[in-house]
Amino acid sequence: MAPIATQTATQPSNVLPNSFGNYKEQAAGAKSFNKKLEEEGASVKREDFTATIGTVLSGVQLSQLSDAGKDQLALFAAQRNVVVFRDQDFGDLPIEKAKEIGGYFGRHHIHPTSGAPPGHPEVHVVHRGADDRSGETLLETRNSTVAWHSDVTYEKQPPGTTFLYILDTPSTGGDTLFCNMVEAYRRLSPGFRERLHGLMAVHSGIEQADSAKARDSVLRREPVTSVHPLVRTHPATGDKALYINPQFTRYIVGYKKEESDNLLKFLYDHIAFGADFQARVKWAKGTVVVWDNRITTHSATLDWATGQRRHLARITPQAEEPYETPFEG
């Protein structure tokens, strides 16, 4: 098993962690991943969503990847943010096998407020039944159902390489949006980027827990908060990314409320308006999406006709504690 996210040691500011297996030494992750698939006999078709984010791969079964192939997949996801696999058998696998594949990439995260299959709390269920009218209710008080976030950033060790696979999907709609937070960081001016370095923000799971309590839903443990850098460094690529989201980030440490609110709002707007560094994934039977939660935000879209079910499952390996390296211009 690749030893990702098994330790929480603080990284020196000038050293990248060495807990990512052989794939961190590959200079061209996408190229070497394709080569590895060819060596293993896969006939792979690749189609990029855009130059900056997202790739669709067909002709390979995730369930058949060797350990070396999995290592290359992790780096490929770190470089492309989001990798979409079509015609997969993932949803038909025994649940223990699906957990085994995800567990290669790190310790399983157990969501504090999520429903899960009996006996398998590691599997996060994303489900809206045919009779669910919550989307309509939400739109009574909001103009949009879009809610950009990275998963459970309030944890001390939030997720890294993440798997989401479809079990049942509406006839149309219910797509998932993704945003490249590395590119969002790069779009800022050098002086602005420099000012963000060294800033820390509080991420909170309290509100999510309170919502679960109010619905008399699952609450496995008391909520936590964590303090993470606004700019996070990816340990395999060295890329820097904005690491904030309006779902869980509450305030910037050491800033007055008005200062924190205004800076965060600017960054949230920058992310939301960045259609040229975003991708939209349309679900279909057999689709599995793999993304790197360190450097990617996402949002579901509640835009399908009522009377249809949307059912997915997520396997969420934890990664290292977020850290940043010095500003480089």
Side-chain angles (χ1 to χ4, degrees), residues 7 33 49 52 129 161 173 224 227 232 246 273:
Q7 298 180 351
F33 182 55
F49 280 97
T52 60
T161 306
V224 299
V227 178
R232 177 178 187 171
F273 296 152

Side-chain angles (χ1 to χ4, degrees), residues 137-147 247:
T137 303
L138 184 63
L139 288 174
E140 292 175 0
T141 57
R142 292 178 50 176
N143 293 320
S144 172
T145 62
V146 173
Q247 295 301 299

Side-chain angles (χ1 to χ4, degrees), residues 112-130:
T113 68
S114 168
H120 301 283
E122 305 90 348
V123 179
H124 171 79
V125 173
V126 182
H127 179 268
R128 289 185 183 272

